[in-house]
Amino acid sequence: MMAEVANIKNAVSPNEILFVVDSMTGQDAVNTAKAFNDRLDFSGVVLTKLDGDTRGGAALSIKYTVNKPIKFISSGEKMDTLDVFYPDRMAQRILGMGDITSLVEKAQEQFDEEQAKKLEKKIRKNKFDFADFKAQLEQIKKMGNLKDLMGMIPGVGKHIKDIDISDDSFKGIEAIINSMTPQERADPDLIDSSRRRRIAKGSGKDITEVNSFMKQFEQMREMMKNMNKMNMFGKTMGMRK
Amino acid sequence: MFESLSDKLESAFKNLKGQGRITELNIASTVKEIRRALVDADVNYKIAKEFTDRVKDKAMGEKVINAISPGQLMTKIVKDELADLMGGQESSFDAKGNPAVILIAGLQGSGKTTFSGKLANYLKTRKGLSPLLVAADVYRPAAIEQLKIIGDQVGVDVYTEEENKNPVSIVQNAV
C-alpha cells in the first residue's frame, strides 16, 4: 500500500501531502506517522476525531517525532467541523485558559452585517419579535457544538465538563416558536390565552412552559427597551454639553 | 477535548500555591506531576521528560516578580512550552498552482474520506477555490461510493474511474 501511495506521489507531485491520523490512537498514531513519513515525507498532519475521548498524546508528540506541523484538526461527522490548527490556542485550551480568539472567529464567520443592522434597528424601535429571536438561535447553532463553544470561554471549560449540554436545549423553544403563526411571531402582544393554549398543543409543551417562555421573552424585550432609553438619555445629555 | 490532561496540569500547579518563590525544592513535585500528566495523556516518556526538563530550566531561571505568583508563572511557562511542542507557529497551507494537488494518506479508518470532504468544503467556502475530489482508493469496497456521497453533501465534484484498478493512472487522468 505504501509503495502505491509513493507511486502516486511521484506521478503527480502534490503541493501538499497530508497525513491523516486518528487522535484516539495515542502512541500508535506516532508510530504510524513515523512509518508514513519515512516513505512519503508528507508535508503536514491532520488530527481527526478530536471530539472523541482524546487524551492528547498524539497532538503533543507528533510534531516532535516527525518534525512535521499539524495543519488541521477535525472533529465529528459534520462537514463544517474542520479547523486550522493553532498550537498557541490549543495550549491555552489545554491549560483551561479558554480560546476567545477562536470563539470570536467562529462568530464572525456566521455574522451577517446586514442582518445585524436590521436587528439593531428593530431593537431600537422595540420591535424585536419571535422571528428575530429564532434567527438568533439559528445563528448560534450554526457556530457549532454548544458545549465546545462554551468551553472556549476562559474559565468555563472545566465547570461544564460534567454537565450535559446538548444542542437540543433550544429545541423546546424552537418548537414553541414554530407553533406560532407568522402574525403572532411578528406581534407578540397578539398572543392571548386561547392562542397560548393552541401553541402549547402544537408544540407538545405544557401551557405553563409556554407561559414562562412568553414571560422570559417579555422580560428580554423590557430589558432592551430600558437599554434604548438609557442610550437616548445618554445622547441627549451629550448634546447639551 | 483533553479534559483529563487539563485537570492534572491544574492540580500540578496547585502545589505551588502559597509559595513565595520558585526553588529547586518546591518545583520538583510540580514538575514530576506535569510529567506524570503528560505520560498519562499518552505522550511518549522521552518527550515528556525533555519537556519537563525544559520547563524546569526555564522556571529556575525566571525571577518571580511580586505581582505574579509562582503558580501563574509556571502556567505561562508550560503554556509556551506546550505551544512550542505542538509546532510553535501555525503552519501555512499551500493551495497554489493550477491545479494544486493535495494527496491525503493515512491508515484505514483514520478519517481520510470524511476529512477530504471537510477540506474540500473548507477550500470552497472559505478560500473561494473550486476543488475536485479524486477517488484513488480502489481496494475498499464502497470507498468510491462514500466519497461520492460526501462530495454531494458539500457540493463538490468527484472524479471516479470505477473500472480502473490502477490508482496512479486514475490520479494522472484526473490531473
Side-chain angles (χ1 to χ4, degrees):
Chain A
M1 185 186 78
M2 289 282 213
E4 208 149 54
V5 189
N7 284 340
I8 295 179
K9 180 194 165 188
N10 292 332
V12 291
S13 52
N15 298 47
E16 292 270 356
I17 302 169
L18 298 177
F19 171 66
V20 179
V21 66
D22 180 342
S23 52
M24 280 194 278
T25 45
Q27 289 276 318
D28 228 25
V30 177
N31 296 336
T32 37
K34 228 189 216 155
F36 268 83
N37 194 38
D38 289 345
R39 295 299 290 266
L40 278 178
D41 189 28
F42 50 75
S43 61
V45 181
V46 179
L47 289 177
T48 59
K49 307 187 192 174
L50 270 174
D51 51 338
D53 181 25
T54 319
R55 283 177 292 175
L60 290 168
S61 328
I62 250 175
K63 165 70 173 46
Y64 179 93
T65 318
V66 293
N67 200 23
K68 293 287 162 65
I70 300 169
K71 296 205 170 180
F72 290 102
I73 47 175
S74 156
S75 49
E77 291 287 335
K78 278 197 201 144
M79 283 298 136
D80 54 1
T81 50
L82 181 74
D83 291 297
V84 175
F85 181 76
Y86 299 99
D88 201 45
R89 297 183 193 177
M90 186 54 85
Q92 284 183 18
R93 249 159 112 171
I94 290 176
L95 290 174
M97 295 154 102
D99 183 2
I100 273 292
T101 332
S102 292
L103 184 64
V104 171
E105 276 178 5
K106 271 197 194 298
Q108 277 170 338
E109 263 165 42
Q110 298 301 336
F111 186 77
D112 181 342
E113 200 164 352
E114 203 134 303
Q115 216 186 337
K117 265 189 194 146
K118 264 190 213 154
L119 189 67
E120 202 194 323
K121 242 184 208 161
K122 270 192 149 172
I123 292 175
R124 199 158 288 160
K125 287 186 189 153
N126 207 26
K127 285 258 161 64
F128 186 79
D129 60 32
F130 283 116
D132 301 321
F133 188 71
K134 201 179 159 217
Q136 291 293 301
L137 285 184
E138 295 289 332
Q139 225 169 41
I140 296 173
K141 281 199 330 201
K142 261 197 254 162
M143 278 168 68
N145 181 295
L146 202 57
K147 196 167 177 176
D148 281 354
L149 287 179
M150 290 181 68
M152 288 183 193
I153 304 169
V156 173
K158 58 175 184 267
H159 294 298
I160 58 165
K161 71 164 191 254
D162 295 324
I163 307 170
D164 191 29
I165 302 171
S166 77
D167 286 345
D168 294 345
S169 20
F170 292 145
K171 271 200 177 140
I173 295 171
E174 277 182 306
I176 294 176
I177 299 179
N178 283 337
S179 300
M180 295 175 184
T181 64
Q183 286 92 336
E184 285 168 348
R185 283 182 215 174
D187 183 9
D189 298 328
L190 195 72
I191 302 171
D192 56 17
S193 64
S194 99
R195 281 177 192 261
R196 283 183 196 202
R197 265 199 299 279
R198 195 207 70 238
I199 291 166
K201 245 184 212 163
S203 57
K205 293 267 157 195
D206 207 61
I207 182 89
T208 52
E209 284 174 277
V210 177
N211 281 336
S212 74
F213 170 62
M214 296 282 299
K215 207 169 174 184
Q216 274 172 17
F217 187 78
E218 253 338 292
Q219 278 167 352
M220 205 163 80
R221 286 219 311 174
E222 198 59 38
M223 227 164 67
M224 288 176 180
K225 209 160 132 191
N226 289 336
M227 261 157 50
N228 280 334
K229 271 187 196 151
M230 263 157 54
N231 272 340
M232 297 251 276
F233 187 62
K235 267 182 197 158
T236 42
M237 288 292 279
M239 266 194 281
R240 267 184 210 155
K241 253 187 213 166
Chain B
M1 214 183 290
F2 307 154
E3 280 96 356
S4 70
L5 178 61
S6 298
D7 280 354
K8 283 180 191 141
L9 286 176
E10 200 191 357
S11 71
F13 297 138
K14 271 207 185 110
N15 276 341
L16 285 172
K17 229 180 198 167
Q19 306 277 0
R21 57 173 61 199
I22 291 177
T23 63
E24 184 106 28
L25 209 65
N26 63 23
I27 205 178
S29 67
T30 304
V31 164
K32 207 167 147 194
E33 268 191 60
I34 295 173
R35 184 155 60 228
R36 193 176 301 148
L38 290 172
V39 173
D40 278 351
D42 221 356
V43 174
N44 184 294
Y45 181 78
K46 214 179 99 211
I47 300 176
K49 177 86 170 61
E50 271 180 41
F51 181 86
T52 46
D53 285 349
R54 268 202 310 277
V55 168
K56 196 174 164 188
D57 284 349
K58 257 190 167 175
M60 291 306 297
E62 293 276 344
K63 280 207 182 77
V64 181
I65 318 161
N66 277 340
I68 55 169
S69 68
Q72 286 165 332
L73 185 68
M74 271 305 268
T75 312
K76 161 89 171 65
I77 294 171
V78 171
K79 191 218 111 192
D80 288 347
E81 285 298 323
L82 276 179
D84 218 39
L85 184 64
M86 291 187 289
Q89 287 300 309
E90 70 169 289
S91 51
S92 60
F93 182 70
D94 174 20
K96 291 182 203 79
N98 196 12
V101 181
I102 298 157
L103 176 65
I104 293 164
L107 283 185
Q108 305 89 314
S110 58
K112 287 182 299 297
T113 311
T114 309
F115 167 70
S116 305
K118 287 182 185 183
L119 184 64
N121 188 38
Y122 171 86
L123 293 173
K124 188 180 144 200
T125 55
R126 311 242 194 114
K127 302 276 170 196
L129 300 171
S130 44
L132 172 73
L133 290 164
V134 179
D137 183 348
V138 291
Y139 298 107
R140 201 189 72 197
I144 298 175
E145 209 50 43
Q146 190 193 353
L147 195 66
K148 271 190 191 160
I149 292 168
I150 283 181
D152 226 37
Q153 275 176 16
V154 294
V156 168
D157 287 333
V158 180
Y159 182 87
T160 56
E161 284 182 33
E162 262 145 90
E163 284 78 45
N164 194 338
K165 288 285 169 224
N166 180 0
V168 177
S169 84
I170 296 177
V171 172
Q172 272 170 333
N173 290 343
V175 175

